[in-house]
Protein backbone atom coordinates (compact mmCIF):
# COMPACT_ATOMS: atom_id res chain seq x y z
CA UNK A 1 0.00 0.00 0.00
CA UNK A 2 2.84 2.42 0.75
CA UNK A 3 3.87 2.57 -2.89
CA UNK A 4 0.29 2.51 -4.19
CA UNK A 5 -0.45 5.76 -5.98
CA UNK A 6 -3.82 5.74 -4.25
CA UNK A 7 -1.94 6.00 -0.94
CA UNK A 8 0.02 9.14 -1.81
CA UNK A 9 -1.95 10.77 1.01
CA UNK A 10 -3.06 9.28 4.31
CA UNK A 11 -5.02 10.97 7.10
CA UNK A 12 -4.69 9.38 10.56
CA UNK A 13 -7.02 10.26 13.43
CA UNK A 14 -5.77 9.68 16.99
CA UNK A 15 -9.01 9.33 18.96
CA UNK A 16 -6.92 8.15 21.90
CA UNK A 17 -3.84 10.37 21.80
CA UNK A 18 -2.01 8.07 24.23
CA UNK A 19 -1.34 5.87 21.22
CA UNK A 20 0.03 8.55 18.92
CA UNK A 21 3.69 7.76 19.53
CA UNK A 22 3.33 4.01 19.04
CA UNK A 23 1.18 4.39 15.93
CA UNK A 24 3.61 6.82 14.31
CA UNK A 25 6.50 4.53 15.23
CA UNK A 26 4.72 1.70 13.41
CA UNK A 27 4.35 3.81 10.28
CA UNK A 28 8.01 4.76 10.49
CA UNK A 29 8.94 1.10 10.76
CA UNK A 30 7.02 0.46 7.55
CA UNK A 31 8.77 3.42 5.91
CA UNK A 32 12.10 2.03 7.08
CA UNK A 33 11.41 -1.16 5.14
CA UNK A 34 11.08 1.05 2.05
CA UNK A 35 14.39 2.75 2.97
CA UNK A 36 12.37 5.93 2.81
CA UNK A 37 13.56 9.43 3.54
CA UNK A 38 11.56 11.23 6.22
CA UNK A 39 10.62 14.88 6.43
CA UNK A 40 8.93 15.15 9.83
CA UNK A 41 6.85 18.26 10.47
CA UNK A 42 6.35 18.55 14.23
CA UNK A 43 4.13 20.88 16.25
CA UNK A 44 5.92 23.56 18.24
CA UNK A 45 5.37 21.77 21.55
CA UNK A 46 4.46 18.30 22.76
CA UNK A 47 5.76 16.47 19.71
CA UNK A 48 6.36 12.72 19.90
CA UNK A 49 9.58 13.40 17.99
CA UNK A 50 11.05 15.34 20.91
CA UNK A 51 13.86 14.05 23.10
CA UNK A 52 16.37 11.20 22.92
CA UNK A 53 13.60 8.60 22.69
CA UNK A 54 11.58 10.45 20.08
CA UNK A 55 9.99 8.51 17.23
CA UNK A 56 12.93 9.14 14.90
CA UNK A 57 15.70 8.38 17.40
CA UNK A 58 16.51 5.00 15.83
CA UNK A 59 15.51 5.72 12.23
CA UNK A 60 18.47 4.53 10.12
CA UNK A 61 17.87 6.44 6.88
CA UNK A 62 17.85 10.10 5.90
CA UNK A 63 15.45 12.12 8.03
CA UNK A 64 14.90 15.70 9.04
CA UNK A 65 12.62 17.32 11.62
CA UNK A 66 11.15 20.76 11.04
CA UNK A 67 8.98 22.65 13.52
CA UNK A 68 5.62 24.05 12.46
CA UNK A 69 5.73 27.51 13.98
CA UNK A 70 4.73 30.98 12.85
CA UNK A 71 6.70 32.13 9.84
CA UNK A 72 8.05 28.69 8.94
CA UNK A 73 5.89 28.09 5.87
CA UNK A 74 8.39 29.23 3.25
CA UNK A 75 11.12 27.11 4.81
CA UNK A 76 8.94 23.98 4.71
CA UNK A 77 7.92 24.59 1.10
CA UNK A 78 11.56 25.20 0.17
CA UNK A 79 12.56 21.85 1.70
CA UNK A 80 9.92 19.94 -0.28
CA UNK A 81 10.77 21.90 -3.44
CA UNK A 82 14.40 20.83 -3.04
CA UNK A 83 13.32 17.19 -2.94
CA UNK A 84 11.29 17.70 -6.10
CA UNK A 85 14.20 19.37 -7.88
CA UNK A 86 16.44 16.39 -7.08
CA UNK A 87 14.03 14.15 -9.01
CA UNK A 88 13.33 16.37 -11.99
CA UNK A 89 16.25 14.99 -14.07
CA UNK A 90 14.44 11.62 -14.17
CA UNK A 91 11.30 13.34 -15.40
CA UNK A 92 13.27 15.29 -17.99
CA UNK A 93 15.04 12.20 -19.31
CA UNK A 94 11.75 10.28 -19.55
CA UNK A 95 10.05 13.15 -21.39
CA UNK A 96 12.94 13.57 -23.82
CA UNK A 97 12.99 9.84 -24.57
CA UNK A 98 9.25 9.80 -25.24
CA UNK A 99 8.91 13.12 -27.04
CA UNK A 100 6.87 14.73 -24.26
CA UNK A 101 6.81 18.32 -23.07
CA UNK A 102 8.78 18.42 -19.81
CA UNK A 103 6.54 20.87 -17.96
CA UNK A 104 3.14 19.39 -18.84
CA UNK A 105 1.26 17.75 -15.97
CA UNK A 106 0.27 14.91 -18.29
CA UNK A 107 3.97 14.27 -18.98
CA UNK A 108 4.73 14.22 -15.28
CA UNK A 109 1.93 11.71 -14.72
CA UNK A 110 3.34 9.55 -17.52
CA UNK A 111 6.78 9.66 -15.90
CA UNK A 112 5.50 8.78 -12.43
CA UNK A 113 6.16 5.04 -12.56
CA UNK A 114 9.72 5.62 -13.79
CA UNK A 115 10.38 8.17 -11.04
CA UNK A 116 9.09 5.74 -8.41
CA UNK A 117 11.19 2.92 -9.81
CA UNK A 118 14.39 4.98 -9.70
CA UNK A 119 14.00 6.76 -6.35
CA UNK A 120 13.37 5.89 -2.73
CA UNK A 121 10.11 7.33 -1.40
CA UNK A 122 10.07 10.48 0.67
CA UNK A 123 7.50 10.39 3.46
CA UNK A 124 6.35 13.77 4.73
CA UNK A 125 4.91 13.12 8.19
CA UNK A 126 2.70 15.96 9.44
CA UNK A 127 2.25 15.12 13.12
CA UNK A 128 -0.63 17.56 13.61
CA UNK A 129 -2.42 19.07 10.64
CA UNK A 130 -3.77 22.03 12.64
CA UNK A 131 -0.25 23.18 13.54
CA UNK A 132 0.84 22.62 9.94
CA UNK A 133 -2.10 24.56 8.47
CA UNK A 134 -1.59 27.47 10.86
CA UNK A 135 2.08 27.94 9.97
CA UNK A 136 1.40 27.55 6.22
CA UNK A 137 -1.53 29.96 6.15
CA UNK A 138 0.34 32.74 4.28
CA UNK A 139 1.55 30.16 1.71
CA UNK A 140 -1.68 28.15 1.33
CA UNK A 141 -1.94 28.50 -2.44
CA UNK A 142 1.70 27.47 -2.98
CA UNK A 143 1.40 24.48 -0.65
CA UNK A 144 -1.78 23.39 -2.40
CA UNK A 145 0.21 23.24 -5.66
CA UNK A 146 2.93 21.26 -3.87
CA UNK A 147 0.32 18.70 -2.82
CA UNK A 148 -0.83 18.41 -6.42
CA UNK A 149 2.59 17.69 -7.95
CA UNK A 150 4.70 16.12 -5.18
CA UNK A 151 2.90 12.77 -5.43
CA UNK A 152 4.26 12.31 -8.94
CA UNK A 153 7.80 12.61 -7.58
CA UNK A 154 7.42 9.72 -5.12
CA UNK A 155 6.79 12.12 -2.24
CA UNK A 156 4.02 10.81 0.01
CA UNK A 157 2.15 12.50 2.86
CA UNK A 158 0.77 11.33 6.20
CA UNK A 159 -1.15 13.78 8.37
CA UNK A 160 -2.28 13.33 11.98
CA UNK A 161 -5.45 14.67 13.58
CA UNK A 162 -6.47 14.83 17.25
CA UNK A 163 -10.05 14.91 18.60
CA UNK A 164 -11.90 18.10 17.65
CA UNK A 165 -9.18 19.18 15.19
CA UNK A 166 -11.63 19.02 12.31
CA UNK A 167 -13.68 21.87 13.78
CA UNK A 168 -10.54 24.03 13.79
CA UNK A 169 -10.02 23.33 10.09
CA UNK A 170 -13.51 24.19 8.85
CA UNK A 171 -13.20 25.65 5.32
CA UNK A 172 -9.40 25.55 5.59
CA UNK A 173 -7.85 25.59 2.11
CA UNK A 174 -5.04 23.14 2.87
CA UNK A 175 -7.28 20.72 4.74
CA UNK A 176 -9.70 20.65 1.82
CA UNK A 177 -6.87 20.14 -0.68
CA UNK A 178 -5.17 17.37 1.28
CA UNK A 179 -5.87 13.69 0.60
CA UNK A 180 -8.08 13.87 -2.51
CA UNK A 181 -8.12 10.04 -2.59
CA UNK A 182 -9.65 9.97 0.92
CA UNK A 183 -7.40 7.32 2.45
CA UNK A 184 -8.22 7.68 6.14
CA UNK A 185 -7.61 5.66 9.30
CA UNK A 186 -9.50 6.38 12.52
CA UNK A 187 -7.79 4.99 15.62
CA UNK A 188 -8.72 4.88 19.28
CA UNK A 189 -12.42 5.72 19.56
CA UNK A 190 -13.99 9.17 20.06
CA UNK A 191 -15.29 8.78 16.52
CA UNK A 192 -17.85 11.54 17.10
CA UNK A 193 -14.99 14.02 17.63
CA UNK A 194 -13.88 13.82 13.99
CA UNK A 195 -15.48 14.58 10.63
CA UNK A 196 -12.91 13.00 8.33
CA UNK A 197 -15.30 10.10 7.75
CA UNK A 198 -19.09 10.12 8.04
CA UNK A 199 -20.12 7.22 10.27
CA UNK A 200 -23.35 5.61 11.39
CA UNK A 201 -23.18 6.66 15.02
CA UNK A 202 -25.65 4.09 16.28
CA UNK A 203 -22.73 1.66 15.83
CA UNK A 204 -20.15 3.90 17.50
CA UNK A 205 -19.52 4.37 21.21
CA UNK A 206 -19.32 8.13 21.64
CA UNK A 207 -16.83 9.96 23.86
CA UNK A 208 -15.14 6.70 24.83
CA UNK A 209 -11.43 5.96 24.70
CA UNK A 210 -10.83 2.75 22.79
CA UNK A 211 -7.74 0.61 22.38
CA UNK A 212 -5.62 3.02 20.41
CA UNK A 213 -4.42 0.47 17.85
CA UNK A 214 -7.92 -0.53 16.81
CA UNK A 215 -10.02 1.41 14.37
CA UNK A 216 -11.60 1.94 11.00
CA UNK A 217 -10.03 2.61 7.62
CA UNK A 218 -11.60 4.29 4.61
CA UNK A 219 -9.76 3.20 1.47
CA UNK A 220 -10.96 3.56 -2.12
CA UNK A 221 -14.41 4.50 -0.94
CA UNK A 222 -14.93 1.53 1.38
CA UNK A 223 -14.68 1.26 5.16
CA UNK A 224 -12.73 -1.59 6.76
CA UNK A 225 -11.84 -2.57 10.32
CA UNK A 226 -8.15 -2.38 11.16
CA UNK A 227 -5.92 -3.41 14.05
CA UNK A 228 -2.36 -2.16 14.46
CA UNK A 229 -0.17 -4.02 16.98
CA UNK A 230 0.92 -1.46 19.57
CA UNK A 231 1.94 -3.56 22.56
CA UNK A 232 0.27 -2.93 25.95
CA UNK A 233 -2.43 -0.30 25.61
CA UNK A 234 -3.80 2.01 28.26
CA UNK A 235 -7.48 3.00 28.44
CA UNK A 236 -8.41 -0.36 26.95
CA UNK A 237 -11.94 -0.81 25.77
CA UNK A 238 -14.33 -3.24 27.39
CA UNK A 239 -15.40 -6.24 25.33
CA UNK A 240 -18.74 -4.53 24.70
CA UNK A 241 -17.07 -1.36 23.45
CA UNK A 242 -14.49 -3.23 21.40
CA UNK A 243 -17.21 -5.08 19.52
CA UNK A 244 -18.15 -2.00 17.56
CA UNK A 245 -15.10 -2.67 15.42
Amino acid sequence: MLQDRQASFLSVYFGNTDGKKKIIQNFLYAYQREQGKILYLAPESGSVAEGPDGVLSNYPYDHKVMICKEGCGKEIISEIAKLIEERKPIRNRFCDEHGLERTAVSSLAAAENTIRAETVPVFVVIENFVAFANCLKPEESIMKTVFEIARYYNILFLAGYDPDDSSKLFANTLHNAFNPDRNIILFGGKMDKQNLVTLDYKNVVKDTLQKFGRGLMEYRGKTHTITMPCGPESNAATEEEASIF
Side-chain angles (χ1 to χ4, degrees):
M1 176 179 166
L2 293 177
Q3 287 286 9
D4 185 341
R5 185 178 175 218
Q6 290 291 331
S8 297
F9 299 92
L10 180 63
S11 300
V12 179
Y13 171 70
F14 305 106
N16 183 346
T17 55
D18 287 346
K20 182 184 296 186
K21 184 174 183 178
K22 288 186 177 181
I23 289 169
I24 291 178
Q25 283 175 327
N26 279 347
F27 278 110
L28 291 172
Y29 177 71
Y31 299 162
Q32 179 178 326
R33 296 183 65 176
E34 303 274 345
Q35 299 183 18
K37 296 181 179 181
I38 304 295
L39 176 58
Y40 195 100
L41 305 181
E44 196 166 1
S45 62
S47 172
V48 296
E50 291 179 351
D53 61 344
V55 292
L56 285 164
S57 58
N58 295 314
Y59 194 79
Y61 301 107
D62 289 350
H63 58 276
K64 180 174 184 176
V65 177
M66 300 182 74
I67 306 301
C68 293
K69 58 185 178 181
E70 186 176 357
C72 73
K74 289 182 180 179
E75 185 180 357
I76 289 173
I77 289 173
S78 176
E79 188 67 24
I80 300 174
K82 182 174 68 174
L83 295 166
I84 291 173
E85 286 298 321
E86 291 173 355
R87 292 156 188 244
K88 278 187 177 179
I90 302 173
R91 178 206 67 180
N92 294 344
R93 188 195 73 229
F94 178 90
C95 291
D96 293 347
E97 290 174 351
H98 293 82
L100 301 174
E101 183 183 347
R102 288 182 174 184
T103 57
V105 175
S106 59
S107 301
L108 179 56
E112 180 182 7
N113 287 340
T114 298
I115 294 172
R116 287 187 175 235
E118 297 185 19
T119 61
V120 298
V122 174
F123 297 100
V124 181
V125 180
I126 303 167
E127 183 177 323
N128 181 264
F129 201 91
V130 171
F132 171 78
N134 286 341
C135 84
L136 267 294
K137 193 168 183 60
E139 293 83 24
E140 283 181 340
S141 60
I142 301 173
M143 191 65 219
K144 182 179 177 182
T145 301
V146 170
F147 283 154
E148 292 170 355
I149 66 170
R151 61 189 299 167
Y152 297 111
Y153 288 99
N154 205 12
I155 298 173
L156 317 176
F157 293 83
L158 180 150
Y161 295 80
D162 293 340
D164 293 321
D165 276 359
S166 296
S167 63
K168 302 172 187 175
L169 293 167
F170 180 74
N172 179 269
T173 298
L174 287 185
H175 176 57
N176 292 336
F178 186 78
N179 198 357
D181 302 320
R182 292 193 53 76
N183 298 313
I184 301 165
I185 303 179
L186 310 177
F187 282 118
K190 287 197 172 182
M191 300 299 182
D192 59 317
K193 300 297 184 181
Q194 60 80 36
N195 63 6
L196 297 170
V197 177
T198 301
L199 297 171
D200 182 354
Y201 284 119
K202 71 176 182 290
N203 292 322
V204 175
V205 178
K206 296 185 179 182
D207 298 313
T208 301
L209 289 176
Q210 301 291 314
K211 289 185 176 181
F212 46 66
R214 185 176 296 211
L216 303 171
M217 179 175 185
E218 183 167 280
Y219 181 64
R220 293 181 172 175
K222 296 183 179 180
T223 302
H224 311 270
T225 59
I226 185 171
T227 299
M228 176 180 284
C230 292
E233 300 185 17
S234 61
N235 295 312
T238 65
E239 287 300 316
E240 180 181 0
E241 292 167 340
S243 68
I244 67 170
F245 297 115

